[in-house]
Amino acid sequence: MGLSSANTVVNEGFQFCIFDLRRGQHEGQELDKILFFYPADLPFSTQLSVIGLSEGLITFTRIFSPEAACEVIEAERNSHVFHQAEPDIWMVMVVEKSKESDSIWRIDALRRVLKEVHSLFVMFHGSIRSLLDKDPSGELVRSHLYAFIMDYLSAFQKRSTWDVCCCDFLVGKKIKLPSFRDCLKERGTVQMLTVGREAALEVQSLVRVLESCAGNAPCYSLVLFQDLLVSTTLSPDDTINLFTYAVLRLAPNALLSRASSWSYLRKGNTASQIAAASVMASSGSVSEQFYGSRDTSPHGGERSHHVVRPLQHNKWYKGMDGFLVTDIWGPEVGSMVSATPTVLLQQTEERMYLCVYQHKSLTLILLFPISSILNGEQGISVVKQQIVENASLKMLKVEEKLSKGWGGENAYHVGGYRYLLVDGDRNVSRASPPGKVTTLTKESLISLSNLREEIDLEKSRAKWDDPGHEKDLEICIRAKNNAWVIARTTRGKELYMVLEKANETLLFASDAIEKFSNRYCSGAFSLD
Amino acid sequence: MFGKASSSQLSVSLGGSGALSHVYIQHPPLRCSIPGSKGLFYDDGNKLILSPTSNQVFSWKTVPFASHVAPTSDSISEGPVLSIRYSLDSKLLAIQRSNHEIQFWNRETGETFSQRCKSETESILGFFWTDCPKCDIVFVKTSGMDLFSYDSEIKSLHLVETKKMNVSWYVYTHESRLILLASGMQCKSFTGFQLSSAGIIRLPKFEMAMAKSEANNKPVLAAEDVHIITVYGRIYCLQVDKVAMLLHSYRFYRDAVVQQGSLPIYSNKIAISVVDNVLLVHQVDAKVVILYDIFADSRAPISAPLPLLLRGFPRASSSSYRTGNKDTDGSEANDISDHETIIYGDNWIFLVPDLICDVAKRLLWKIHLDLEAISASSSEVPSVLEFLQRRKLEANKAKQLCLGIVRTVILERRPVSMVTRAIDVLVTSYSNSIKTGSYFKGIKAEKPPTSDVSNVNPPTSVVDESIRREDALGKSIKHGSASGVENESLNRSPAFSVSDSEENVSFENSNHLRSLGAKADRENFKVAESSQSEVQKLSLQSQLLGPSNSPLNANNSENLESQVTSAAISPDEMYSCVFASVEEEMAGDPAYFVTIVIEFLRSANVERIKVHPNIYVLTVQLLARHERYAELGLFIINKVETFL
């Protein structure tokens, strides 16, 4: 695939591109269709050949199934994962297969990365198509995509030491993709805190008070405790997006890592920042004109737009009043006050102000429609004041109640089991704590990863054959190390499990799963 | 002047509750005029108005109060009448003939006998009958108290005990069973006794505070200045300090008398009434009345001073004094009606607890609270609800008012915090009523050790606990009242409390009372509530059984009964009278309504009360109709909506 510079060697085996099939259909204008390419410093010829191959495959497979073109190409040395994010806008991820075991992954897990980055992008910037419509030259969308995805990829590497469950793609200079080790996780789902009725009522009571603070404007809220969702009034898709963002940037852990990174992680920190910077710098020289200015300074000069980079890390901090503040959105026009962040809701397609309040482990995310808040920032500060006045006592109470009831990070550990429970209808998942998952052997994890791959395939096939009717599945595999690797799906719920008890019989395994199902899933996976 | 003022208000008050007064007397009064009457006497032990003539004594029942009660009569012999009282079993009639002699009639046999003072130096100040086990009648003399018991065999009194002390004057109310004996130069040293069915308790001696106007001028306390009142089963003494223009209050405990603070007064003449546990301080000169609810810690009046209203008086006669009153019967109607409407006239005597006697016109009025006016006069909704929840005389009215208020605040979309507090008040009140109810049930079912029973349940046990004492009695009662209303927040240590079994409410629940018979004022509270709790259980049962009609009917009848005795609002009623009806009227965004429902559920959950399952149905429907599935899902998962 053409020449490779010194830089691309580093990130060899990983390419990520976004292109628009409606653009660049004429000879000589091919570059026009590229909206994003990583690594950016690949020669355009290489970029175009990757995109050309993908485009060709898409066009070809569309002949057979116009609705759903190709999803994946498995070549000898690499896999191409496709995702049609918006009509005719495709995201393609190319990953190299290597002998290293780390590169054993699930295609579906990779596709979920694509989905996630797209939905987050839409939440902050609106759809790619709308940005293209706004600026047909593509400069606007390219600069936004570039900043956003680079932040997404380069993000959180220092969090890897903190929290294994968050995505850390770019470790050092290498993109680290979700691998078989993450097979007891499900991207694109929320993790919920289980609360008792009393606490739930308190939370609901708090939510209502919060919403009443905005007056008559419709207002949405999301309540998190640590990294777990407690309450939401948003639609499921919006909930996932905001939840993902909150866990990445807003939750106490996310803020904490920022504070402590100064101390002992300082070295690693700067190193990685250099890495990220070098990626950007190296690409900058090549395609400065192409991707537009990455000058994010508010007074960027003649460049017409200021690129907001919501995924930039270390940009949120706790203000005096308990609200989290950031300067990501730049200063308010004509003032020194940072502008309040805004997000776009998928369901209502309404732009909302994003206010985040934090008290200890409790994070409250509040969304107020821009249209309903008069006087912009002034109106927001009035609402914030209202919240502090009316709800702070309740927040204290709720935080206290939830803290009391919380079992710590191993709260959802079930002795003897390593599991993942996904409720596809509600987009909720629960899994064994990461610390416990790491005790599993590599063999078990690889077996489970492969099993999940099978299930994914089976699921999509079932969907194809008989849409609207889900198949019940049960697979128990004895792995090489004698561990039982089990998958069971029923009525939109999936349960994956590893039982590393050698020499136990299948009877034992199915007994164990029955017990688990009765105890923790209200019998959803029980056979009778 | 106020006669006119009040009559001009009449047009308003007839139309509904004019908010120009909070307390009213209802026309027509009870007429106690008998030709040849020698005056009117009030027998508070039997709640009778007595009017002796030269050879007869007529008596009118004042409970239940009705204007058309016909008098009964007994014949007596001629002679002066200083005081007159029937024995508590109504078999004997005692008349104080002079300072040294009291004469007795046996009503059945007509036999008479007299009891005289031993020495001429002492004189009888008064007497009263008691239900104390030791004695039947107590003579209060300048030299102390003589306790006698009546021997029906030999048909005479025999002296049980004498308590020697100097007495200037005394105050006694049968309601509290408490006698206060004043002594000293200023008559401000007091010795108190409570003579109840539980025995005789001597209170520690105490002094009342009196301000001095000048250095050498020491005011003397008069009997009219000291009032014993019974509120929420606690006994207080109110003392008018005319110099300081303050009304001092003292609360009686078993072994202590504690001053509780003072209320300002605005008139030289003060009268006190207690209606449904609300303290009414009549500022007679100013012709206004101020209401206090002692239950609350605050000494602030419930509402602004307003005149006492005469209600239901025919307009024709009130607009013109000279017009004859055609409604009134009897020949003296005309001349009486002339001055009937003089509110706070000089002839008014205030009787314990809530009666007014117009001695000159021989009329008896009963004071009523205008709950509507009181609740309309304050915008502080939660405290109004608290006040209404404590009313039991017009419990049904209070309850309806509460329901109306809650409906209104929700419909008017008042701030959530305020509605929340309002709901909390109602739920807590209901919860307390349930707890006390179940407490009684528990006693019935489990039959605790007899010692306990005897301590808790003597029909009229008097004192319930000293402030610090931890004896068996104290403990058992503490245990008993741990869940009681009395014990609720404001009442740190149960009061020196009262028994009054013939109070207005108890007769309706006598079946409950018989085995229990604790202190009466509480009784009323608790019995009301115990029946309420049974209703609740019944209704829950019926819901469990499914929506059939027959148990519902049973509920209704039970409910009617409970409505009479308690203002507590069950969750079922909250649902049917508030949420269901409000929901129909509330259009648009359901957020506010759902908020209120959540607050109600939260409040009910805190108090561990089951709510009506339909409220869940209502919420689910509402959320589903507005496509708020995220919340609905959460509700279900977190079991906010728990279905039976």
Side-chain angles (χ1 to χ4, degrees):
Chain A
M1 278 194 200
L3 299 163
S4 46
S5 71
N7 276 334
T8 54
V9 171
V10 174
N11 292 310
E12 196 180 16
F14 178 78
Q15 282 142 15
F16 183 179
C17 59
I18 301 176
F19 56 90
D20 180 4
L21 286 184
R22 293 181 195 169
R23 297 168 65 91
Q25 291 304 320
H26 298 290
E27 195 83 22
Q29 296 175 355
E30 286 88 352
L31 276 184
D32 223 21
K33 67 179 73 166
I34 309 176
L35 302 179
F36 172 80
F37 202 98
Y38 176 88
D41 49 351
L42 271 191
F44 285 130
S45 59
T46 318
Q47 294 188 13
L48 280 175
S49 81
V50 171
I51 287 171
L53 175 63
S54 306
E55 193 179 351
L57 279 163
I58 290 163
T59 319
F60 176 65
T61 49
R62 266 185 176 171
I63 298 170
F64 308 105
S65 63
E67 315 286 83
C70 68
E71 292 175 342
V72 64
I73 311 168
E74 294 283 3
E76 196 187 338
R77 282 175 54 201
N78 44 37
S79 306
H80 294 238
V81 184
F82 291 78
H83 172 57
Q84 189 175 11
E86 290 168 35
D88 284 330
I89 290 176
W90 287 80
M91 302 171 89
V92 178
M93 191 188 264
V94 184
V95 287
E96 194 185 27
K97 294 174 177 173
S98 76
K99 296 284 168 285
E100 281 175 63
S101 56
D102 267 1
S103 41
I104 300 175
W105 45 64
R106 254 179 347 114
I107 297 300
D108 193 56
L110 297 180
R111 191 173 299 114
R112 278 178 183 270
V113 172
L114 297 179
K115 282 183 188 163
E116 183 174 281
V117 74
H118 178 256
S119 10
L120 285 177
F121 181 83
V122 172
M123 177 167 82
F124 289 110
H125 300 303
S127 69
I128 296 175
R129 184 63 71 200
S130 71
L131 286 175
L132 280 172
D133 291 345
K134 218 193 267 176
D135 174 21
S137 73
E139 192 189 302
L140 185 71
V141 74
R142 279 190 194 106
S143 57
H144 277 89
L145 276 174
Y146 186 83
F148 192 84
I149 296 173
M150 288 320 288
D151 282 338
Y152 182 78
L153 293 178
S154 73
F156 5 105
Q157 60 265 53
K158 39 180 135 22
R159 295 204 50 207
S160 58
T161 53
W162 276 96
D163 191 350
V164 193
C165 87
C166 73
C167 34
D168 42 354
F169 301 109
L170 195 66
V171 174
K173 295 189 174 181
K174 198 168 168 73
I175 298 281
K176 193 168 172 288
L177 291 168
S179 73
F180 69 91
R181 296 196 188 278
D182 303 308
C183 64
L184 283 177
K185 269 173 218 164
E186 186 77 343
R187 191 177 297 277
T189 57
V190 296
Q191 286 78 53
M192 298 209 53
L193 180 75
T194 305
V195 292
R197 181 163 191 261
E198 197 173 324
L201 282 168
E202 290 289 350
V203 169
Q204 283 302 319
S205 166
L206 167 65
V207 165
R208 305 292 149 179
V209 169
L210 290 175
E211 292 187 358
S212 71
C213 288
N216 290 325
C219 152
Y220 299 95
S221 71
L222 209 67
V223 181
L224 276 83
F225 182 80
Q226 304 278 24
D227 286 344
L228 300 168
L229 182 71
V230 179
S231 153
T232 174
T233 56
L234 285 166
S235 70
D237 289 337
D238 290 320
T239 300
I240 293 172
N241 291 340
L242 269 165
F243 175 80
T244 310
Y245 185 64
V247 171
L248 291 178
R249 288 291 171 268
L250 306 174
N253 279 344
L255 292 184
L256 195 69
S257 70
R258 169 185 176 271
S260 57
S261 66
W262 271 104
S263 52
Y264 61 94
L265 279 173
R266 194 167 192 178
K267 201 176 169 195
N269 193 13
T270 44
S272 61
Q273 257 165 7
I274 289 164
S278 74
V279 168
M280 295 182 77
S282 61
S283 57
S285 57
V286 180
S287 48
E288 172 83 15
Q289 340 62 326
F290 188 65
Y291 287 118
S293 168
R294 268 169 303 287
D295 181 8
T296 55
S297 76
H299 310 293
E302 18 336 74
R303 287 288 181 182
S304 53
H305 45 265
H306 156 69
V307 178
V308 170
R309 293 169 56 191
L311 283 176
Q312 249 180 322
H313 44 101
N314 296 354
K315 284 291 189 183
W316 284 90
Y317 45 93
K318 203 165 166 180
M320 295 292 284
D321 52 358
F323 282 92
L324 300 189
V325 286
T326 180
D327 56 3
I328 290 175
W329 273 260
E332 170 79 334
V333 183
S335 80
M336 293 304 288
V337 189
S338 298
T340 304
T342 58
V343 294
L344 190 72
L345 285 189
Q346 218 172 323
Q347 196 192 28
T348 57
E349 293 184 342
E350 217 178 339
R351 203 155 254 292
M352 315 286 276
Y353 281 117
L354 173 74
C355 294
V356 187
Y357 186 92
Q358 200 160 73
H359 170 67
K360 291 186 184 166
S361 308
L362 194 70
T363 309
L364 307 166
I365 299 176
L366 295 158
L367 301 170
F368 308 102
I370 287 189
S371 53
S372 72
I373 303 280
L374 303 171
N375 312 330
E377 293 302 321
Q378 223 177 330
I380 281 291
S381 63
V382 169
V383 171
K384 281 183 174 175
Q385 204 181 331
Q386 283 264 317
I387 290 168
V388 170
E389 275 171 21
N390 296 338
S392 33
L393 217 81
K394 271 207 147 78
M395 290 191 264
L396 289 179
K397 210 165 147 192
V398 166
E399 206 278 338
E400 199 177 315
K401 194 148 245 164
L402 294 180
S403 301
K404 239 182 242 167
W406 196 50
E409 60 177 13
N410 281 343
Y412 299 125
H413 174 58
V414 181
Y417 295 87
R418 300 293 180 272
Y419 68 94
L420 167 69
L421 189 61
V422 182
D423 185 339
D425 295 337
R426 289 167 48 218
N427 296 309
V428 171
S429 71
R430 169 163 298 171
S432 293
K436 297 286 178 184
V437 173
T438 52
T439 63
L440 289 178
T441 59
K442 196 170 152 190
E443 282 83 10
S444 311
L445 287 169
I446 291 175
S447 310
L448 181 64
S449 183
N450 292 334
L451 177 60
R452 287 201 63 183
E453 190 83 69
E454 286 297 316
I455 297 282
D456 290 340
L457 215 64
E458 205 48 56
K459 271 196 318 197
S460 67
R461 215 173 274 153
K463 205 162 78 187
W464 207 236
D465 289 347
D466 186 4
H469 187 268
E470 285 142 346
K471 239 197 220 168
D472 286 2
L473 271 179
E474 183 181 2
I475 304 177
C476 289
I477 293 173
R478 185 137 209 180
K480 275 181 209 150
N481 62 344
N482 274 341
W484 284 105
V485 179
I486 302 160
R488 211 178 257 195
T489 72
T490 180
R491 277 161 289 168
K493 291 193 172 74
E494 297 161 38
L495 175 65
Y496 302 98
M497 201 175 262
V498 180
L499 298 170
E500 273 192 343
K501 279 197 179 166
N503 306 323
E504 289 290 0
T505 60
L506 179 61
L507 200 64
F508 163 83
S510 92
D511 232 34
I513 210 166
E514 196 81 11
K515 256 189 228 159
F516 184 90
S517 156
N518 287 334
R519 188 99 186 262
Y520 301 100
C521 323
S522 28
F525 299 96
S526 304
L527 288 176
D528 35 63
Chain B
M1 147 203 153
F2 254 92
K4 273 176 197 161
S6 70
S7 58
S8 66
Q9 288 157 17
L10 265 168
S11 53
V12 184
S13 67
L14 283 172
S17 64
L20 294 169
S21 85
H22 296 141
V23 179
Y24 65 92
I25 50 178
Q26 181 75 43
H27 183 88
L30 171 62
R31 296 176 190 281
C32 314
S33 53
I34 293 293
S37 163
K38 292 178 179 172
L40 289 178
F41 296 89
Y42 182 53
D43 175 2
D44 69 339
N46 297 295
K47 304 233 182 268
L48 295 173
I49 288 287
L50 303 176
S51 174
T53 61
S54 54
N55 58 353
Q56 268 188 313
V57 54
F58 291 87
S59 61
W60 291 264
K61 275 189 186 156
T62 64
V63 173
F65 187 85
S67 60
H68 49 75
V69 172
T72 54
S73 64
D74 282 298
S75 34
I76 52 169
S77 63
E78 282 196 47
V81 177
L82 296 186
S83 170
I84 178 165
R85 282 170 186 269
Y86 281 99
S87 66
L88 296 181
D89 58 6
S90 299
K91 285 182 179 156
L92 293 171
L93 173 63
I95 303 174
Q96 185 182 354
R97 290 301 195 180
S98 71
N99 283 343
H100 303 285
E101 184 189 7
I102 292 175
Q103 197 176 20
F104 292 86
W105 261 261
N106 188 320
R107 291 176 77 191
E108 282 163 13
T109 61
E111 291 167 284
T112 67
F113 63 91
S114 291
Q115 189 79 28
R116 300 183 62 85
C117 287
K118 297 244 165 52
S119 82
E120 290 294 316
T121 53
E122 56 184 25
S123 63
I124 298 174
L125 294 169
F127 72 97
F128 56 88
W129 296 90
T130 165
D131 51 4
C132 175
K134 253 175 137 179
C135 58
D136 297 311
I137 187 164
V138 176
F139 289 9
V140 187
K141 302 184 294 183
T142 48
S143 63
M145 283 200 314
D146 283 351
L147 281 55
F148 296 96
S149 70
Y150 172 67
D151 193 333
S152 55
E153 298 290 308
I154 56 167
K155 301 200 168 48
S156 73
L157 296 182
H158 96 99
L159 186 65
V160 177
E161 199 181 335
T162 303
K163 309 248 185 212
K164 289 269 178 214
M165 71 200 75
N166 285 323
V167 180
S168 308
W169 45 262
Y170 78 98
V171 188
Y172 175 79
T173 66
H174 184 76
E175 194 183 40
S176 61
R177 309 286 200 277
L178 181 74
I179 179 165
L180 289 179
L181 303 157
S183 60
M185 289 282 287
Q186 286 180 272
C187 300
K188 61 172 194 173
S189 303
F190 285 87
T191 311
F193 292 93
Q194 191 180 35
L195 302 111
S196 73
S197 54
I200 300 173
I201 291 156
R202 187 190 181 117
L203 294 175
K205 237 180 149 146
F206 70 101
E207 299 252 319
M208 285 190 185
M210 286 186 73
K212 285 182 212 165
S213 51
E214 292 155 40
N216 294 324
N217 187 4
K218 289 185 178 167
V220 176
L221 201 59
E224 311 82 85
D225 294 336
V226 174
H227 307 266
I228 299 172
I229 60 160
T230 312
V231 181
Y232 296 113
R234 312 169 188 166
I235 303 173
Y236 294 87
C237 171
L238 299 179
Q239 172 223 343
V240 180
D241 187 337
K242 283 180 179 159
V243 176
M245 290 300 265
L246 283 174
L247 187 64
H248 301 301
S249 69
Y250 304 84
R251 181 160 170 204
F252 295 112
Y253 296 86
R254 184 191 177 89
D255 54 5
V257 179
V258 178
Q259 185 161 6
Q260 299 267 308
S262 306
L263 307 171
I265 54 174
Y266 308 100
S267 159
N268 272 320
K269 197 177 167 205
I270 290 294
I272 304 290
S273 303
V274 174
V275 181
D276 199 7
N277 292 319
V278 176
L279 173 64
L280 275 53
V281 181
H282 303 275
Q283 320 278 340
V284 177
D285 294 345
K287 303 205 173 187
V288 289
V289 55
I290 305 180
L291 281 63
Y292 297 93
D293 191 0
I294 303 283
F295 195 85
D297 254 344
S298 120
R299 290 280 169 267
I302 295 167
S303 53
L306 282 173
L308 181 73
L309 182 71
L310 172 63
R311 242 197 210 182
F313 190 67
R315 288 185 74 181
S317 57
S318 64
S319 55
S320 158
Y321 281 10
R322 295 288 156 227
T323 319
N325 190 340
K326 280 154 192 95
D327 284 1
T328 51
D329 54 339
S331 53
E332 71 282 312
N334 277 341
D335 54 329
I336 284 178
S337 68
D338 271 355
H339 302 290
E340 234 172 13
T341 51
I342 296 178
I343 304 285
Y344 291 122
D346 292 337
N347 297 319
W348 274 20
I349 290 175
F350 291 82
L351 303 176
V352 174
D354 57 357
L355 298 173
I356 297 171
C357 184
D358 188 334
V359 215
K361 305 298 165 211
R362 308 267 194 269
L363 299 176
L364 189 72
W365 304 91
K366 186 177 167 74
I367 308 172
H368 300 272
L369 293 181
D370 187 345
L371 294 181
E372 272 156 303
I374 294 170
S375 60
S377 69
S378 169
S379 56
E380 210 19 64
V381 171
S383 52
V384 168
L385 289 176
E386 272 175 2
F387 174 78
L388 288 174
Q389 284 293 302
R390 286 196 286 266
R391 305 284 70 81
K392 51 187 186 178
L393 216 54
E394 293 179 285
N396 193 26
K397 192 177 199 180
K399 184 175 192 167
Q400 295 310 321
L401 280 170
C402 287
L403 290 170
I405 289 170
V406 176
R407 270 198 299 266
T408 314
V409 292
I410 297 177
L411 280 175
E412 288 176 356
R413 293 176 182 255
R414 303 289 267 289
V416 173
S417 56
M418 194 259 263
V419 181
T420 303
R421 274 188 295 137
I423 286 175
D424 279 344
V425 167
L426 296 186
V427 171
T428 315
S429 158
Y430 175 73
S431 158
N432 282 329
S433 76
I434 285 291
K435 279 179 199 158
T436 43
S438 54
Y439 155 60
F440 267 84
K441 252 186 128 62
I443 284 194
K444 263 195 268 183
E446 290 161 22
K447 295 246 169 92
T450 38
S451 65
D452 243 355
V453 172
S454 65
N455 279 333
V456 180
N457 287 350
T460 40
S461 99
V462 189
V463 170
D464 58 22
E465 203 191 347
S466 64
I467 300 175
R468 284 178 199 85
R469 197 172 298 204
E470 284 289 324
D471 60 359
L473 174 71
K475 265 183 207 159
S476 68
I477 285 175
K478 215 174 193 173
H479 150 79
S481 58
S483 53
V485 174
E486 294 286 72
N487 207 356
E488 201 221 335
S489 58
L490 304 165
N491 187 5
R492 316 116 221 109
S493 62
F496 182 85
S497 93
V498 182
S499 41
D500 192 358
S501 47
E502 57 276 274
E503 263 270 88
N504 31 44
V505 191
S506 39
F507 62 92
E508 285 174 41
N509 295 288
S510 51
N511 49 333
H512 293 281
L513 278 171
R514 232 169 282 138
S515 61
L516 312 167
K519 291 134 281 153
D521 248 26
R522 289 194 176 186
E523 251 162 45
N524 295 337
F525 246 69
K526 287 170 180 171
V527 167
E529 286 142 4
S530 78
S531 71
Q532 173 84 9
S533 79
E534 270 153 32
V535 173
Q536 167 68 2
K537 264 157 210 151
L538 242 176
S539 62
L540 277 175
Q541 262 170 10
S542 75
Q543 274 141 22
L544 283 168
L545 290 171
S548 66
N549 279 330
S550 45
L552 257 177
N553 287 337
N555 278 351
N556 287 342
S557 63
E558 284 269 359
N559 268 335
L560 276 177
E561 191 191 336
S562 70
Q563 274 170 4
V564 181
T565 53
S566 167
I569 297 170
S570 75
D572 294 13
E573 289 160 322
M574 274 300 262
Y575 166 73
S576 53
C577 300
V578 178
F579 293 113
S581 68
V582 163
E583 194 263 342
E584 284 166 17
E585 293 177 54
M586 280 190 103
D589 187 35
Y592 180 81
F593 185 73
V594 173
T595 308
I596 303 300
V597 172
I598 293 288
E599 291 299 340
F600 173 62
L601 293 179
R602 185 192 51 76
S603 190
N605 185 58
V606 168
E607 300 288 347
R608 309 253 172 266
I609 293 176
K610 261 206 181 109
V611 301
H612 195 291
N614 277 359
I615 200 158
Y616 298 127
V617 177
L618 188 76
T619 324
V620 171
Q621 278 176 344
L622 208 60
L623 287 171
R625 208 181 302 147
H626 291 82
E627 299 184 348
R628 300 180 68 151
Y629 300 118
E631 289 145 272
L632 186 51
L634 269 177
F635 280 16
I636 305 284
I637 291 154
N638 290 329
K639 301 189 177 58
V640 169
E641 309 272 4
T642 41
F643 294 96
L644 292 173

